[in-house]
Amino acid sequence: AGGNLVKYKNGVFSNMTSANTYSIVKVFFFDETEGWTISNADVQHYVSNGWTTVSSDQVLVKDFVFTDKNNGLLIGPPYFGGGAGGVISQYSGGTFARVPNFDFTQNFIGIKMFSATQGIIVGEAGLVLRIGEKAVVTSIESNIFTRGVANMTYSVVPNPASQSINIYKEGTTMTNEHVMVNTIDGVVVMDQVTSDGHLDISSLNKGMYFIRLLSDHTTLKFIKE
C-alpha cells in the first residue's frame, strides 16, 4: 500500500525506496539493478537505484509482461471512455505505444507470455486473446465470438455432434465458404472450402473445436462427442 516495497536478500528483508504513491499491483525485476512496478495510477521503471515514471495512455493498468529488458506489453483500460474496456501498449525503445486495432469492450485481467512471440491475455466475460502470428479472439461463454461482420447470426447444428455439422448464416446454409477448424491449442485439423455448409467431423477426436469462417472473419465453437 502507498507504494511500499520490501526487498529480500540473503535471508533479510529491508525497505526499498519507491516512486509509487498509490498501491502497487505488480512488481517485476530482471535482477537487482532493473525492474518495474505498476500501480493504479502509474508505471515506474527502476534502473541502478533510480526510478523513472514511464508515460502510458492507460490508467488502472491491470498487468504487464516483459520478454527482455527492451520489450514488453502492458494491458488495461484506456484513459478515454471512462476507464472501461481493454487495450494493449507495447514497450520498445524506452516508451509505451498503443497497439492499434486491439480495442475490447471487456476489461483485461491478466497477461502471460510463453515466448517472445506467443502469449495469452484473459479478460472479463470469458475473453481469451491469443497473441502470436495469428491472433484469435474467443469466448468460452458464447458460441459466437467475432470482430467481423456486424449484426449477423451464425449457428452450428447439431452442437454437440459426433458425425457431422452444418453451418448457417442468418438461418441459411453457407455456401462456398473457406473454413478452418482448430483445436483449443490452435492446431489446424481441417482446411477446406465447403459448398453446402456441411462438415464431416467423424474423424476428429472428442473435445472442443473452433471453426474459422475466413471470408466473414468469424469464429464459431462446437463440441465433438
Side-chain angles (χ1 to χ4, degrees), residues 32-103:
E32 282 191 87
T33 65
E34 184 169 359
W36 295 81
T37 65
I38 58 174
S39 72
N40 288 335
D42 56 18
V43 180
Q44 297 287 340
H45 187 195
Y46 178 86
V47 180
S48 301
N49 299 316
W51 291 93
T52 302
T53 300
V54 181
S55 62
S56 169
D57 60 354
Q58 296 168 239
V59 295
L60 299 176
V61 176
K62 292 298 184 181
D63 202 0
F64 60 25
V65 66
F66 288 86
T67 54
D68 57 52
K69 291 186 176 183
N70 298 312
N71 296 280
L73 294 172
L74 180 151
I75 63 170
Y79 177 78
F80 58 86
V87 296
I88 307 169
S89 290
Q90 186 170 25
Y91 179 78
S92 180
T95 60
F96 283 101
R98 187 161 164 180
V99 177
N101 303 320
F102 283 97
D103 297 299

Side-chain angles (χ1 to χ4, degrees), residues 4 13 25 40 55 75 85 89 106 109 111 123 153 157 164 189:
N4 293 326
F13 286 101
V25 292
N40 288 335
S55 62
I75 63 170
S89 290
Q106 302 98 321
I109 297 173
I111 182 172
T153 300
V157 181
S164 63
V189 293

